[in-house]
Amino acid sequence: MASKINHRHVVVGIPTTIVFMIILLVVGLFSSLPIVTYSQSSSSNDSTISDQDNRNTTNNDNKFIILVFDRGYKSQFTNAKPILDKYGYKATVFAICNFIGNTIRGAESAMNWHEIETLHKKGYDIQSHGMNHKDLTSITLDGREFEVGESKQCLLDHGINSIIYSAAFNKGGDDPEIINIIAKYYDFSFNAHSTLMFLHCDGWEKFGFDEKNYKGQTDCRTYFDDGTPTPTNRYAIKEWSQDREHDRINDRWPDSPPHGPIISEILFNKFVEIVNSQTKFNVNGQINAIPIITYHNVNEDETVSTSEELFAREMKYLHDNGFQVITVSDLGYNEDENYFFIEQ
């Protein structure tokens, strides 16, 4: 998110809240009963669940998910990591080199190098989000080279070989000059949003899904025949941002606290909808689409951040429903036929 959104603290009338919660729970129950587990963990035991349990709870080979943490906020280490570790999950973290060990916005702190290196040693996927989180479309050619190339060297200096770049503010994916600079240093890059990432980039042409991001594509080649960039390719991977969805929900329910039960329930149900939307495209172990879910802060410091309680509930849902959690680095790419695949 480009700017901080202030908390809202408006008291909702008790009768309205009660009626809404009853409607919400009934609708949520019957609309997703076959797949949703709403119960919270009844145990406070933080023991780690085995990787075998994590990957085979329902023996379902059709449900994968990639978890991404943007900007390297400290709350990702202090609040999210213990929850992920409980289930044996790993995530991809896009770190901003010059923000590491410093404040990002006001009192919000980034992880320090010890925390970044600890995640790396524990098997987390550490990748580049630039030197200073600069919009690549608004800086000079030399500035782009520094922002993109120097950030790779910065991570290398700490023993981390970054192969994936995330463009600040998801800008630049339609600019061949920016694409070519990123391609000099990285195998993949993130740019723009969609609820699902289709591994053959054929979401619209084959499945009628998301015309804006997949129209005209039957594979993931970077350019169309006329030289214009394709909307989705190895340098324009698509993500779904929970923060952006949280912002939209806050706008629709301005009288509800952003981390209160009403908005949290709506956001949880949206998360469940997104992660399960892949199932109609993935059949018999053939993975065509994967949701890539991006988080920023895991706390209640911002109106669009994800609370620890909600994050824990979402991770428990993934575990209880047999999702296989992978990182972006678990994706391979077929250079000859231009498509992504999951490396096993």
Side-chain angles (χ1 to χ4, degrees), residues 66 71 133 203 220 286 310:
I66 294 174
R71 302 185 185 177
H133 201 254
C220 297
Q286 178 65 44
L310 178 57

Side-chain angles (χ1 to χ4, degrees), residues 273-291:
E273 175 191 328
I274 295 297
V275 299
N276 283 289
S277 63
Q278 64 184 295
T279 56
K280 62 183 176 182
F281 305 114
N282 301 340
V283 180
N284 298 325
Q286 178 65 44
I287 306 303
N288 293 303
I290 298 178

Side-chain angles (χ1 to χ4, degrees), residues 88-326:
Y89 293 162
K90 305 300 180 188
T92 297
V93 178
F94 284 106
I96 306 167
C97 262
N98 279 341
F99 286 11
I100 296 173
N102 299 303
T103 57
I104 296 179
R105 291 188 309 213
E108 298 175 49
S109 296
M111 284 183 261
N112 57 42
W113 278 112
H114 174 72
E115 290 163 335
I116 291 289
E117 291 168 0
T118 296
L119 290 179
H120 178 61
K121 291 174 183 176
K122 294 292 185 180
Y124 284 73
D125 183 29
I126 309 300
Q127 302 296 342
S128 173
H129 202 17
M131 288 297 295
N132 299 290
H133 201 254
K134 294 283 188 180
D135 176 356
L136 296 179
T137 65
S138 65
I139 56 178
T140 65
L141 177 60
D142 288 344
R144 292 170 179 173
E145 284 281 355
F146 178 80
E147 186 72 13
V148 174
E150 190 63 24
S151 61
K152 182 179 181 71
Q153 185 59 50
C154 172
L155 290 172
L156 273 175
D157 291 343
H158 291 268
I160 301 168
N161 182 25
S162 173
I163 60 170
I164 305 160
Y165 187 79
S166 180
F169 309 108
N170 283 290
K171 291 185 177 181
D174 57 351
D175 186 327
E177 183 181 87
I178 291 175
I179 293 170
N180 292 339
I181 290 173
I182 293 173
K184 284 171 58 177
Y185 300 100
Y186 300 93
D187 295 338
F188 302 144
S189 178
F190 275 66
N191 215 304
H193 300 88
S194 182
T195 54
L196 288 173
M197 176 64 198
F198 279 79
L199 300 188
H200 287 254
C201 301
D202 55 359
W204 176 253
E205 299 301 331
K206 186 172 181 179
F207 300 100
F209 183 92
D210 195 350
E211 181 178 8
K212 176 183 176 182
N213 283 304
Y214 295 107
K215 185 177 181 180
Q217 292 189 248
T218 56
D219 60 27
C220 297
R221 68 188 66 190
T222 307
Y223 296 101
F224 288 118
D225 291 341
D226 65 1
T228 59
T230 55
T232 303
N233 54 68
R234 62 190 301 178
Y235 305 112
I237 296 173
K238 299 299 185 281
E239 61 181 319
W240 180 79
S241 169
Q242 179 148 305
D243 293 54
R244 287 164 60 93
E245 185 64 30
H246 199 166
D247 192 30
R248 286 190 286 266
I249 294 170
N250 288 342
D251 287 342
R252 290 198 296 268
W253 300 96
D255 293 334
S256 296
H259 298 290
I262 292 176
I263 287 180
S264 294
E265 188 72 14
I266 296 171
L267 190 55
F268 175 75
N269 286 334
K270 187 64 177 180
F271 170 86
V272 170
E273 175 191 328
I274 295 297
V275 299
N276 283 289
S277 63
Q278 64 184 295
T279 56
K280 62 183 176 182
F281 305 114
N282 301 340
V283 180
N284 298 325
Q286 178 65 44
I287 306 303
N288 293 303
I290 298 178
I292 301 177
I293 310 296
T294 298
Y295 300 88
H296 288 75
N297 263 314
V298 181
N299 54 30
E300 297 184 20
D301 291 353
E302 296 180 288
T303 59
V304 297
S305 59
T306 299
S307 69
E308 288 182 70
E309 180 181 6
L310 178 57
F311 185 73
R313 189 180 181 191
E314 291 175 350
M315 296 307 102
K316 184 177 187 298
Y317 176 83
L318 296 180
H319 172 264
D320 291 352
N321 290 274
F323 286 83
Q324 300 193 52
V325 177
I326 62 175

